[in-house]
Amino acid sequence: MTPSPLVPTGGATVRAVNDEFHGDLLEVSMGPHHPSTHGVFRMVVTLDGERITKLKPVLGYLHRNHEKIGESTSYLGSMPYTDRLDYLNAMTNNWAYALAVERLGGLSVPERAEYLRVILAELSRLQNHVCLAGFLLQDTGASGTPLMYAFREREKILDLFEALSGSRMMCNFQRFGGCRTDASPAWLAQVAALVGGFGRFLDEFEELITGNEILMARTQGVGVLKGPAAVAAGITGPMLRAAGVGYDIRKVDGYGLYPRFTFRVPIGAHGDTYDRYMIRILEMRESIGILEQALRDIPAGPIMDPKAKLRGFRPKPGESYGRIEGPKGEIGFYLISDGSANPYRYRVRPPSFVNLTVLEDLCLGHTIADSVVILGSIDIVLGEVDR
Amino acid sequence: MLGSGLLQGLGVTAKNLVGSFHDPKRLTTVEYPEQKTKLPEAYRNFPFLVSESAEDPMGTLRCVACQICEKECPPQCIFIEKSKDKKPDATGKMQIYPAVFLIDSSVCMNCQICVEVCPFDAIKMDHEYEIATTERFNALLLDREALAKPNSYFHEIRPEEAAEVDGRLAAERKAAEEKAKAAALAKASAAAKPAAPPSAVPPKAEPPKPSASA
Amino acid sequence: MNALFLILIALVTLGAAATAMALRNLIHSVLLLIGSWIGVSVFYLFAGAEFVAFAQVLVYVGAVSMVVLFAVLLTRRSRLDISVTPDSLSRAISAVLAAGAVLGVLLYGIVFTPLPGAAPKGPSATVKQLGVELMGDHAAALLIIGLILTVATLGAVVIASNDPKAEDRQ
Amino acid sequence: MTAPINPADSLLERAPQALRDLVTSHFPQPWRWFANGLLADVAILAVFGLLFAALTLAERKILGRVQNRPGPNRTGPFGLLQPIADGIKMLSKEDIVPRDADHLLHFLAPVTLLASAIMAFAVIPYGRNLVPVDLDAGVLYFFCVGATTELAVFMAGWSSHNKYSLLAAMRALAQLISYELPLLLSWVPVVMISGTLSTTGIVAAQSGWRWGWMPTWHVFTPWGLAGFIIFMVSALAESNRSPFDLPEAESELIAGHLTEYSGCKYVFFFMAEYFGMTALSGMAVTLFLGGWHAPLPALEFIPSYAWFGIKLISLLMGFIWIRATFPRLRMDQLTRFAWKFLVPLALINLATAAFWSLSFGWSGPMLAARCGVALVLVIVPFVLLGRRLTAGLAPRSYAYAT
Amino acid sequence: METPDQICSRILSRLPGAEVSVLQNPGPAAQHSLLVGRQSVLEVAEFLRDDPELRLDYCSNVTGVDWPEKIIVDVSKVSTPDPAGGAPKVTEVKTERVQPGYLEVVYHLYSVSLRHGPVILRTRTAGRDALAAVPSLTPVWRSAEFQEREIFDLFGVVFENHPDLRRILMWDGFKDHPMRRDYVEPEDYEWEPTPHGDLVEKAKKARAQAGGTPG
């Protein structure tokens, strides 16, 4: 065994990978077809009994070279493809891409469109987090009940997406310099009704499961990730905040109109799976607050930058990196333009992919049952991991 | 005390069990083949070609085979071949029309970009979602006969947008007619006054604006 | 009829035990051993000792077999492949000697015990009587057995515990 | 006014025996015992087979309703024919055995499991005089038959030659060793108080009324309540039901020992799980819930087997309810829960029952003292052990970043 | 936060031998980047991470860019004096030179503790084939681990000293690097007759007949 040359930086854990052959170690390949790998993801797990002594993530089963497609498609043509990255959060993917292109082309966004973006992003965050809570609890073995409750609420949000953008998941809604369609007052009233009832749903959901001793036993102290290690490993999103680092791009970058809204950033003290679950619940409560403010303040006005062109968009040569706080973490797009209709380089910075870096560290020493729960708490979507 | 959280959870599930029988807010399921949810107007699934009349769909397609959608389609699932002859379009102008219009529904990702870029309101997104077939080769490649649907259908699925489009087209037709009339008048006056320069080039139709949704 | 049945059960029990010894696959051996235990309990049933029969199944099939299976599954592969060495020949001889001695004692006991011709219908022991006997007159024996089993368990734990330092010393 | 009819003599109550005698009277006397036995077998298989079918449907329906969806409703009216459709589907499926599997054990495992699950039904008294086999050591028989179930799970897991199945087999072994003990210890007090191992004797010991209205079921005593809860928790584990369904833990081990089973063999496992669940519930009814006795004197006109059925089904619904609510435990937590919580509690419960039986004659204020002491003996260890078990686990409060 | 120029000069004052320059971004985004030579990228990265004023502890995005060999045409005007004594004749002389291709690795750095960023760090390989190697920055920022593996996989940049440099998205037996601009997809690669394939064929044929330009 050669010691891993991985130097611990800022408290990052050193990997104790023991490559010696032991007769009683069992190598199990979890995935790509496994009920709880959230898609075609594979973990090659070496078990000592039920304890994990080694875990190697194997990716790429869903790889379709999204970035290459992006380089051979026009700027507008890549927009529907971004829906398919993290297919739970098409709205935020669209926004991140639109943001990068707007920076590249020097476009501005009208106020109403910014409000709409905030509303849609927060709705997207709600449905992503509620999904995650459902999946995570499903992974702990709850026979579908929390998942079904979560999906019931998610359906309502997807219905809203469908009414506005025409599609439930593949929204393809944002455009460079604004949004595609305007929201009717009736639609905004529907959102308000949903937001009004969401808090009650969260209360019921928490009553169902948060205080459950089995859940606490399964998640507390499992998969502990501490702040410095998380920062070094590039962890973003709720996972980073669960590790105790209050880094939220909505606050830090202040993109969109987020500085106008008051909301808090919950942080966890333990960095374990329970914290990662609870941070999402708390973030949903903050999102409800943002949505209420946005629905109250949304102004009338145009939704597209008059400078923006739908067809034949050719930004000047240059490059830009735009990132937003997606529900899963920092989703960024890096674009290089050479002045033609297609980007010279189109790069996605996928939060799920980078967050997977620490999977092995979190799982080592835990049991195979924990690995499933830890993977669930990282919140990956394979459309984004593999691209 | 150990078990309090468990009992709380049991309480919630019991409430839901009872609630699902009398509270429609809880039991939100739609029993699909019998019941169907009302689709929102914005719903999009697969494009269709708008034709003016239901009787002669091929003769009255709004599409003028400009091939913009073919170029803009991100997965490149559209193929258009221009016709050799011309026929009058929605505004009464002589236009070429698509001799072949193919959309590969196995590749189409329902992104609506073809609709957004179409300057002629000729392609729109459908509400049809029961599009499964048992044959995965030819049945998934739809030709213009399969794609054409009359304007009345468009009105049926998207009343607001269709009314807006019709209004705009009517205005354009009117403008075109007036221009034609003016041109005829001018011709007549030109005939009366042979010294006037011949207006060989017919007044160019106002290029229609891109779809209002942009 | 009954005798035929008894002989059949005896054959099954002994056959299972013998095959269990001969098989290379340890799991099969354990399962056959369980079969032979069930055979023994059938004998108890025939003797009218329901309690003992059920207790036999409960304890041996339900618990002891599990422990044995656990032991087998947790045993390192290397210990499964014990090859026949010259040393094991002498071991085999001593094993045969030991088994012969046990057999001799048993045979002596069986042959020289005066069997009553017509078995007098003895007082059928109820569960309560069994309990009173065990907790009364034979309490000391019960305690000693318990102690011995505990010591054996502790010994097993010590042997099974995976102490890397001990391995290094070897 | 007519004299109240002795409930034992009512027509409905005697109907099963009358029916049996009607059928077996056609057999010659020497074969009558055999005919009786056969009839009991047929009755058990028919009733519990139907109950199994109904239970699968009920489980899916209830799970559906709990999860706010209608559950199966396509096959027949209200989906009532769903079990039949499922049965046809499962039985017509191809039986796939992995090439490297241990074919004999792979075949024997489901058979063993189902056989032992069915055998357990033999000693449960379903009603007044309705017990297939009245053994002196009936309770012991029940648990000795039940002991083979996890062996069968092990056989299935080991013989499948699949890593997931093997892990499931290991889990099944550990789970059995851990939960057999509290299960056994939980009913020992009942035997102690009743003074018999016979199931009919235990039911008989719970007959009669205190103060003329309160049934003297064991569950209404402090030790009985504790014993009942320990029994039911262990029964959940013994029948591999959520939250103790670790051997087949879907999200971790795919289907555990069932991963390599299909078709008829899979149905056997499925049946055995439900049969085991039913049998353990039946035993719980017998040991703690007064067997077939009515809960109130005024309700004795309802035949005894109906009471048994009602109690049985409500316990089964409890199994389903729990499954609908709880996440799954982890293996080490499962064994810790058994050894550090259930076993000590069961042992203390044994002492409580001993105290209860010693203080049998106490009355008046001493009766209150007896109940009080017993309650303290039950509750205090529960609280203390529970606190130790959940040490370090608590709902948390969260800070917000500035 | 300091501008890239300030950072550059501070790096140069601290690490005098470092090859650092600022690469201007002409676009409206104006995200200028630090171009660092291969030899000094590791120490520059460590400086950026540890410097108390920058503390760029978080490496958000790591990506590769392929710049293939380019033929640059330099146009220079040469005036030759007219022998007839008239105005000098000006001719345009085109000289072609080949700019060698290289692969570029771009790091987007942020500071979580000081909440600023991005600072963009770029480094270039010497060439695209055998020389396509840069030092790995995974020892500095662990978040680069998977992303550098991805660049190795898709672009073929070898990261020296990377702890676990294997393909990550493509399978192990895969030969090429699909994100390179000159990558040609193999013809028979998981070929399956689809109507789409026919469609493209037909389209090509029709366009060839029409004589128009494809696209």
Side-chain angles (χ1 to χ4, degrees), chain D residues 283-297:
Chain D
M283 191 40 86
V285 169
T286 307
L287 290 171
F288 297 101
L289 298 184
W292 41 261
H293 286 298
L296 283 174

Side-chain angles (χ1 to χ4, degrees), chain B residues 10-30:
Chain B
L10 285 172
V12 172
T13 43
K15 231 186 320 185
N16 275 282
L17 173 65
V18 179
S20 71
F21 284 100
H22 62 78
D23 186 357
K25 255 192 209 146
R26 288 199 190 276
L27 194 68
T28 52
T29 319
V30 173

Side-chain angles (χ1 to χ4, degrees), chain A residues 76-121:
Chain A
L76 175 65
S78 283
M79 186 59 89
Y81 283 115
T82 63
D83 294 340
R84 275 105 180 137
L85 282 170
D86 172 0
Y87 41 75
L88 294 178
N89 298 303
M91 286 294 185
T92 46
N93 297 345
N94 284 176
W95 190 359
Y97 179 54
L99 190 75
V101 177
E102 280 152 13
R103 283 197 186 151
L104 191 66
L107 297 170
S108 64
V109 183
E111 199 180 1
R112 184 174 172 84
E114 290 278 29
Y115 267 96
L116 267 181
R117 285 180 176 187
V118 168
I119 290 173
L120 290 168

Side-chain angles (χ1 to χ4, degrees), chain A residues 315-329:
Chain A
K316 286 194 210 89
E319 64 169 49
S320 77
Y321 179 66
R323 59 169 195 168
I324 68 165
E325 177 74 31
K328 293 183 162 55

